Amino acid sequence: MLSLREPASAPTGMTFHQMLEKIRYEGAYPTRERAEDVTRAVLAALGRQLTGDERVDLAACLPTEAATVLTDEIPALKPLTGWAFVKDLSTRTGGTLATTRWDAGAVLSVVGQVAGPILLDRILAQLPSGYALLFGRAELTQSA
């Protein structure tokens, strides 16, 4: 039986370069450098939102360079909703809300694939509403 603490998937063996190429393709970025800039900004922003075991387990799944960007950030005292995450990232990067939403989705959808479904479920359970769509999933809500 899988404990909730165990990483959801073993490291994929994906290199940072391979991850960037996948993000470049998903985001339709013209250069690897642009994909890397976007990836570093989004991972840093995610690092400000994640805490605890989910943060540690996600870092263990990512290539070393990506894990370092994620874990170099100090988590915020109060996590942002998905929309506030996009607005904060937009302010920090100087991008429009539309392009920042696109960037976050391009990076986080790949991060979610690397993490695997079990760890991604745990990450989404920890974060406030609005992140599922950024990770390429439907946002499921309970009816009142």
Side-chain angles (χ1 to χ4, degrees), residues 2-136:
L2 179 67
S3 111
L4 291 179
R5 174 63 184 98
E6 292 176 33
S9 62
T12 61
M14 180 182 286
T15 66
F16 189 55
H17 178 76
Q18 290 168 326
M19 183 179 176
L20 291 177
E21 284 303 314
K22 190 164 181 65
I23 290 167
R24 180 180 176 192
Y25 176 79
E26 294 289 329
Y29 299 112
T31 65
R32 187 173 95 57
E33 291 75 24
R34 176 69 181 133
E36 183 170 353
D37 290 345
V38 166
T39 299
R40 288 182 181 281
V42 172
L43 286 174
L46 183 61
R48 290 188 289 276
Q49 302 307 307
L50 278 182
T51 61
D53 293 341
E54 289 73 23
R55 178 184 174 100
V56 171
D57 292 347
L58 179 58
C61 292
L62 295 172
T64 303
E65 298 89 334
T68 300
V69 173
L70 178 84
T71 58
D72 276 353
E73 294 297 319
I74 297 170
L77 295 176
K78 184 174 183 214
L80 301 171
T81 64
W83 180 237
F85 173 86
V86 170
K87 290 195 300 189
D88 179 65
L89 184 57
S90 173
T91 299
R92 289 173 186 267
T93 62
T96 67
L97 290 174
T99 58
T100 302
R101 164 58 182 92
W102 178 269
D103 294 343
V107 174
L108 294 179
S109 66
V110 172
V111 168
Q113 292 167 21
V114 172
I118 295 170
L119 178 55
L120 183 54
D121 286 346
R122 289 175 39 217
I123 289 168
L124 291 173
Q126 181 190 107
L127 295 169
S129 67
Y131 283 87
L133 289 173
L134 296 174
F135 280 96

